[in-house]
Amino acid sequence: MQTHFGGHKEDGSIMDFYSYGFVETNEQGYITHWETHVSPEYNDFLDVAIGIHGPFKQGPEPYMEALARKLKEAGVNLTV
């Protein structure tokens, strides 16, 4: 599947990127593998949205921490 994400920054400039997903299912229809890839413009989006982009070769922690920080700044409390 291919998904196109797009929008405008506060200064009116356009930002967009593509996401490509590959999903495999078993005979019962349960997902057995899900793989997602994004176009290079995704880095620009992350820089604006959460202030950091990958690659996150040591794991997802820096991404999750930046995301949680931005959500907290916006008044969204995460509880797990």
Side-chain angles (χ1 to χ4, degrees):
M1 66 187 140
Q2 176 187 21
T3 307
H4 180 224
F5 297 89
H8 296 84
K9 295 191 317 186
E10 289 180 359
D11 66 5
S13 60
I14 296 173
M15 297 193 74
D16 68 339
F17 66 92
Y18 288 90
S19 171
Y20 307 90
F22 303 91
V23 179
E24 296 175 9
T25 61
N26 62 19
E27 290 183 11
Q28 293 78 33
Y30 292 102
I31 296 173
T32 59
H33 180 81
W34 187 316
E35 186 174 323
T36 301
H37 301 269
V38 292
S39 64
E41 295 82 11
Y42 184 60
N43 288 341
D44 298 333
F45 168 79
L46 283 181
D47 286 340
V48 171
I50 64 173
I52 188 174
H53 72 265
F56 302 105
K57 294 182 179 184
Q58 304 304 318
E61 289 80 13
Y63 170 85
M64 296 304 292
E65 289 168 0
L67 180 59
R69 188 170 40 257
K70 280 293 185 178
L71 290 172
K72 185 176 181 181
E73 290 171 7
V76 177
N77 293 319
L78 298 177
T79 57
V80 179

